Amino acid sequence: MSTPAPRHRQHTARCSPRTPAKLVAAARTLQPHTVALRRAVHRYPEQGLHLPQTQSAVLAALADLPVQLHTGQTSTSVTGVIEGARPGRTVLLRADMDALPLTEQSGVPFCSELPGSMHACGHDTHVAMLVSAARLIAQRRDELAGRVLLMFQPGEEGFHGAQHMLDEGLLEIAGTPERALALHITSTLDSGTVQTRPGAIMASSDVLRVTITGRGGHACAPQSAVDPVPAAAAMVGSLQTMITRALNVFDPAVLTVSRITAGNTSNVIPDTAELEGTIRAFSEHTRATVHQETRRVCEHVAAAHGCTVTVTIANGYPVTVNDSEVTPQVLELARSLLGERHAEPMADPLMGAEDFSYVLARVPGTMAFLGACPPGHDPDTAPVNHSSRAVFDESAMVHGVALYTGFALEALAS
C-alpha cells in the first residue's frame, strides 16, 4: 500500500479523530431505516436500466432531505446533490440498484416477490447504505466546503448504466468531482471488513462469439464433408495455449469458452459450430492483445481444417482502476472509523467486472468491498454474490453508511 500524501495526513489528523465513534453510532441509530429500505427494495428486484419501483423508493427515501434531485432520461437513474455551507470541491458517492435474473432460494423472510428476479449481488444494500449516508451528510452540511453528488445507478449487471448516466451529464450536474467512492458488499469477507487496493481491482469483461462454417454431410462419410466440429474442438485448446504463450504472466488474462454448439442429431455432420465465452484482463494492453491473438488463432485453426470463421468480440466493461492516492486514504479512513481489524489491503484483484470503471476512468476514486458474511458461515464457503442462495449480514451496513459519510466529510472538510 502506498503512503498517503503529507497533506492528507494533516487533513486526517485535523478532522477524522473527532468523528469516528460519532459516525458509527449515528449510522447504527439509522440502522432500522437502512434495513427497512433494503428489505423493501429486496422484495421487488428490478432488472436492467428501467427500475421504476426502485427509483420511486429512492426518491421517497430522500424526499425530506435538502437534496437537489434529478432523474435520468435513458434510464431510471437518480442523481442527488447535497450542497455544503461553503464553496469547495465535489465528491461522488455511488450505489447501483439493479437485480439479477435468478429465482431466489435464500430463505430470508423478505424474499423476492418477483419470479425470476433477485438481488443476488447486494445492490439493494448499496441503495439503502447510500440513502442513510445521504441523511447523515445532510445533517452535517455546515461542516462541508463543497458538495456531495449521489449516484443511484441502474443497469450495472451488463447494461452499462454508469455510461448512460455519464452520457446524460452526470459529471456536469455539480461540477466535475475530484474524488469518488463506490462500495460493493460481498459474502466472502468477514462482516464489516473493508478491502480495497490501488490500481486494477477488477477486470475488463468482453464476450467472444465464434462461428465456424464447414460443409455438412452424412456422419458415416466425413471425407465428403468439411466437419466444423474438430475445428471448434481444436480452437478451444489452441486458445488456452495462446493465453499461456502470448501474454506476460505478470499481466494475466482469462479466456473461458463456456458454450459449444454444433449439430442436432447423431448421424449428420453440421454445416456450422459455435463457440461462446468471456475474455477478462487487468490492463487495456493485455485486453487488446487477447482480442488480436484470439482472432488470429481462430482464423488459422479454421483454415487448417478447411473451414471459414467469423469472430465477434463484443466489448463489455473496461478495467476498474482505483486511484493510487485516494485508495490508501480510504483504507486509512476505514481503520480510523471502523478499527484496525476492519480494514485490509486487498492482495489480488478480481476477474469480475464493474461499470464503475467508467466513472473511475474520469474521476480519481476507489471501489472498495464491504464484507457481509452472515453469522454462522465461513467466508470461504458461504454462497457467493450471484448465487440464488446468497445472504448478506445486514449489520455490516452500519460500516458502509459510516464509510460513505466519513469519505465525504473528510474530503470536504474546510
Side-chain angles (χ1 to χ4, degrees):
M1 184 180 71
S2 58
T3 304
R7 185 166 63 92
H8 170 72
R9 288 199 199 97
Q10 295 167 2
H11 181 82
T12 301
R14 185 170 62 244
C15 70
S16 289
R18 64 186 178 87
T19 58
K22 290 183 179 179
L23 280 187
V24 174
R28 190 167 287 114
T29 299
L30 283 181
Q31 179 72 346
H33 301 280
T34 310
V35 168
L37 179 58
R38 183 260 167 146
R39 293 185 179 186
V41 173
H42 190 93
R43 285 191 177 97
Y44 295 97
E46 298 171 298
Q47 300 174 37
L49 291 168
H50 299 287
L51 325 174
Q53 191 152 345
T54 307
Q55 183 189 55
S56 294
V58 171
L59 291 172
L62 297 172
D64 65 324
L65 298 180
V67 181
Q68 303 165 25
L69 293 172
H70 309 263
T71 55
Q73 301 301 310
T74 61
S75 74
T76 52
S77 63
V78 177
T79 304
V81 180
I82 302 174
E83 288 284 353
R86 293 168 299 283
R89 65 177 70 178
T90 299
V91 171
L92 184 151
L93 304 176
R94 177 269 209 163
D96 41 5
M97 304 192 293
D98 56 323
L100 286 160
L102 290 172
T103 298
E104 184 160 5
Q105 297 177 306
S106 68
V108 297
F110 48 91
C111 217
S112 168
E113 297 180 18
L114 297 181
S117 194
M118 176 190 175
H119 269 295
C121 202
H123 296 183
D124 51 335
T125 69
H126 304 168
V127 170
M129 289 189 293
L130 187 53
V131 166
S132 288
R135 188 165 295 278
L136 294 185
I137 293 165
Q139 292 169 358
R140 293 157 174 78
R141 285 187 302 153
D142 60 342
E143 300 178 28
L144 305 183
R147 66 209 56 80
V148 179
L149 182 64
L150 306 171
M151 177 185 179
F152 292 93
Q153 177 217 307
E156 191 283 322
E157 298 290 355
F159 293 88
H160 304 265
Q163 188 64 62
H164 279 259
M165 294 185 73
L166 290 168
D167 290 344
E168 290 183 1
L170 170 72
L171 303 185
E172 287 75 55
I173 288 175
T176 302
E178 294 190 23
R179 60 180 62 190
L181 173 65
L183 296 179
H184 204 302
I185 207 158
T186 174
S187 61
T188 60
L189 284 177
D190 289 331
S191 188
T193 299
V194 173
Q195 271 195 1
T196 189
R197 71 191 307 275
I201 188 170
M202 298 186 78
S204 59
S205 175
D206 304 317
V207 176
L208 170 66
R209 296 185 178 91
V210 181
T211 301
I212 306 110
T213 302
R215 186 176 68 251
H218 200 292
C220 74
Q223 74 280 2
S224 299
V226 178
D227 193 347
V229 175
M235 270 180 208
V236 174
S238 296
L239 287 170
Q240 298 308 311
T241 301
M242 177 270 290
I243 289 290
T244 66
R245 293 297 178 267
L247 302 180
N248 183 339
V249 68
F250 299 108
D251 189 5
V254 164
L255 193 161
T256 297
V257 176
S258 53
R259 183 179 70 85
I260 303 179
T261 303
N264 52 26
T265 189
S266 63
N267 62 348
V268 175
I269 292 172
D271 286 316
T272 62
E274 296 179 353
L275 307 179
E276 189 172 49
T278 187
I279 297 171
R280 308 291 175 110
F282 288 133
S283 74
E284 292 301 323
H285 170 75
T286 291
R287 185 187 192 189
T289 300
V290 174
H291 288 199
Q292 176 183 324
E293 291 298 301
T294 295
R295 296 180 190 280
R296 183 183 65 81
V297 166
C298 290
E299 289 167 1
H300 284 77
V301 170
H305 287 78
C307 298
T308 59
V309 68
T310 301
V311 180
T312 302
I313 300 174
N315 284 347
Y317 297 156
V319 183
T320 304
V321 182
N322 281 347
D323 185 75
S324 60
E325 293 185 7
V326 176
T327 304
Q329 294 170 9
V330 169
L331 278 172
E332 186 58 36
L333 176 64
R335 289 189 188 96
S336 173
L337 285 174
L338 313 176
E340 185 73 30
R341 69 186 183 91
H342 290 298
E344 297 178 355
M346 189 172 167
D348 302 304
L350 299 178
M351 275 294 177
E354 243 289 341
D355 79 344
F356 194 56
S357 53
Y358 292 123
V359 175
L360 293 180
R362 298 174 62 177
V363 180
T366 295
M367 165 156 276
F369 291 97
L370 174 64
C373 183
H377 288 261
D378 184 334
D380 292 332
T381 57
V384 298
N385 292 38
H386 287 224
S387 165
S388 62
R389 300 185 305 279
V391 176
F392 303 101
D393 179 17
E394 291 178 324
S395 69
M397 294 193 293
V398 169
H399 283 190
V401 172
L403 190 61
Y404 269 136
T405 306
F407 182 80
L409 294 180
E410 183 175 276
L412 302 180
S414 57

